[in-house]
Amino acid sequence: MNLNNPKYSKFALVREMLETSEVVRKFDPEVATPFAEMALTKKGLFLTGEGSSRIFPAKRAMYDNLKWGGMIPIFTDGSTQAMEYMLKDLAVFGASNSGQTKEVIRLLMKLQEEKHSALFGLTANEGTKLATLAHKTHVLNCGKEDAVAATKSVIEQGLFYDAMIRQMLGKCMCGFDELPDQIEEALTLEIDPDLVQTVKNADMIYFAGRNNGVVEELTLKTNEITRKKSDFLEGTYAVHGIEEVMDKNEVVIIVEPYASEEAKFMECLVKGVGMKVIALSSRQTSFPTVLIPDAGKMAPYVELAAGWNLLVDIGLALGIDLDKPARARKIGNEYVL
């Protein structure tokens, strides 16, 4: 993506994506300190929300926590399902950019009635219904998003949970100082036009990789940005049965593939199905590869940004108005009195 090119710059979605590096640069991890202190009074965390406000921020947090030994019990599910849970011993965080998401509001209203003592909000707007229900709310600094697809806000939500959990564990934000430049590099990489055409012409786009929120979030963004059907294939699920119904006119995009599993993907998908497999990775893989910066522990943020970059080029190649989906809305299910 390149803001000097009107092909890109006329879209709010692109402008907001490219603002992400500056959002990260201005992020102060200390904003999470009071939330970390209050959350430590509970036995663990429950991170809820709908769509992009939950997928990447919550699942990335769970992934890192488990890599560190799972010292804090962290859970996530959608807010409607969460109404069936006993959450009194967990600090509950409801994330909603609008602060008006019906499912989140309904859950916090229920928990407030039950006298829950640790309800928190994460939103991009002041004076919301969510803030009236939470004991403490953090308002993001990323600014308003005009595009339907959430982008820069997703990264800031992820950083907020990241900072909070690292503080709860006594760990540093290692790699944070380099992250803005790495995200900018991932967003402005020139994608091979042949790869763009391959994905553009596919009947179905699968995303495969770790269950850390990146691949699942890119699956959602594929629907919103390219208007193509997509599916999330966690881990190595792509070679555990679904290949039976895959087709040579479909494509799999693997994010940072496991080196030990590349041969199996090649055997089952490329040779067996005859489909194209593309990788987004910090190293050259066995497949056509979009090379991205190696961000270490901060890698999920860079992987997500690189995926956005690819999806924008695919959407433009398809002649899509990136800012005006036919059915998707900025607030998927709005709470009204």
Side-chain angles (χ1 to χ4, degrees):
M1 288 184 282
N2 181 354
L3 280 182
N4 293 323
N5 185 335
K7 174 176 96 169
Y8 296 103
S9 62
K10 66 181 180 178
F11 293 108
L13 178 69
V14 171
R15 296 193 298 271
E16 288 161 7
M17 286 178 173
L18 290 169
E19 288 168 7
T20 302
S21 57
E22 194 60 26
V23 169
V24 175
R25 192 168 279 114
K26 291 179 177 178
F27 179 77
D28 179 6
E30 295 302 314
V31 298
T33 301
F35 295 86
E37 292 171 349
M38 295 170 74
L40 282 169
T41 66
K42 291 292 188 177
K43 295 180 180 178
L45 303 173
F46 186 79
L47 311 177
T48 191
E50 303 303 314
S52 295
S53 288
R54 183 178 73 88
I55 294 171
F56 176 77
K59 293 199 171 184
R60 192 223 53 80
M62 293 170 65
Y63 171 81
D64 265 3
N65 180 56
L66 285 170
K67 288 185 74 175
W68 290 324
M71 291 177 277
I72 302 171
I74 304 177
F75 310 93
T76 188
D77 264 316
S79 300
T80 299
Q81 183 169 322
M83 293 182 73
E84 300 173 0
Y85 298 162
M86 183 72 74
L87 298 173
K88 66 183 180 64
D89 291 329
L90 301 175
V92 176
F93 282 79
S96 164
N97 281 341
S98 66
Q100 298 293 133
T101 303
K102 180 179 178 180
E103 296 91 337
V104 178
I105 298 301
R106 191 169 50 196
L107 173 64
L108 263 65
M109 289 176 71
K110 174 180 180 288
L111 294 175
Q112 190 183 69
E113 290 173 2
E114 294 172 355
K115 310 299 182 187
H116 195 293
S117 59
L119 301 177
F120 303 102
L122 189 57
T123 182
N125 293 284
E126 298 279 1
T128 64
K129 179 64 176 178
L130 176 61
T132 68
L133 296 168
H135 296 116
K136 189 172 182 62
T137 300
H138 176 67
V139 179
L140 304 175
N141 290 316
C142 62
K144 185 176 183 290
E145 287 177 317
D146 292 317
V148 168
T151 51
K152 60 181 179 176
S153 62
V154 174
I155 296 288
E156 189 175 357
Q157 287 170 330
L159 285 173
F160 176 84
Y161 286 151
D162 203 345
M164 180 181 69
I165 291 165
R166 290 185 195 227
Q167 289 180 35
M168 293 172 73
L169 294 172
K171 295 186 176 293
C172 71
M173 288 284 283
C174 301
F176 176 67
D177 291 343
E178 296 78 24
L179 185 59
D181 290 340
Q182 291 167 331
I183 287 177
E184 184 171 0
E185 182 179 347
L187 287 169
T188 55
L189 285 171
E190 187 171 346
I191 308 293
D192 183 344
D194 289 340
L195 294 185
V196 173
Q197 286 300 311
T198 294
V199 186
K200 170 196 168 185
N201 295 329
D203 295 334
M204 178 86 170
I205 303 172
Y206 298 95
F207 274 91
R210 292 163 180 78
N211 189 18
N212 61 3
V214 174
V215 174
E216 191 173 354
E217 174 65 15
L218 288 175
T219 301
L220 171 59
K221 288 295 174 282
T222 298
N223 301 144
E224 294 175 335
I225 295 173
T226 73
R227 319 292 155 80
K228 279 183 171 286
K229 292 181 179 179
S230 61
D231 198 5
F232 162 47
L233 306 179
E234 178 187 343
T236 60
Y237 175 53
V239 293
H240 282 276
I242 193 171
E243 67 269 28
E244 184 67 21
V245 297
M246 286 174 157
D247 185 88
K248 65 181 180 180
N249 295 321
E250 299 171 341
V251 66
V252 175
I253 300 173
I254 313 178
V255 178
E256 205 63 70
Y258 298 104
S260 61
E261 302 303 322
E262 285 185 37
K264 178 57 72 174
F265 273 68
M266 183 70 74
E267 175 192 343
C268 290
L269 304 182
V270 178
K271 296 178 181 177
V273 178
M275 68 194 309
K276 296 288 195 300
V277 176
I278 295 168
L280 291 177
S281 178
S282 58
R283 61 177 177 82
Q284 183 61 49
T285 72
S286 308
F287 314 105
T289 304
V290 178
L291 286 170
I292 64 177
D294 184 351
K297 290 188 182 299
M298 294 288 182
Y301 299 98
V302 175
E303 292 163 2
L304 185 58
W308 292 345
N309 190 0
L310 175 60
L311 291 175
V312 163
D313 273 354
I314 295 164
L316 292 178
L318 288 164
I320 286 168
D321 184 337
L322 304 179
D323 291 337
K324 294 181 180 179
R327 302 185 187 97
R329 294 147 295 155
K330 189 62 181 173
I331 306 175
N333 191 7
E334 186 173 3
Y335 174 81
V336 290
L337 291 173

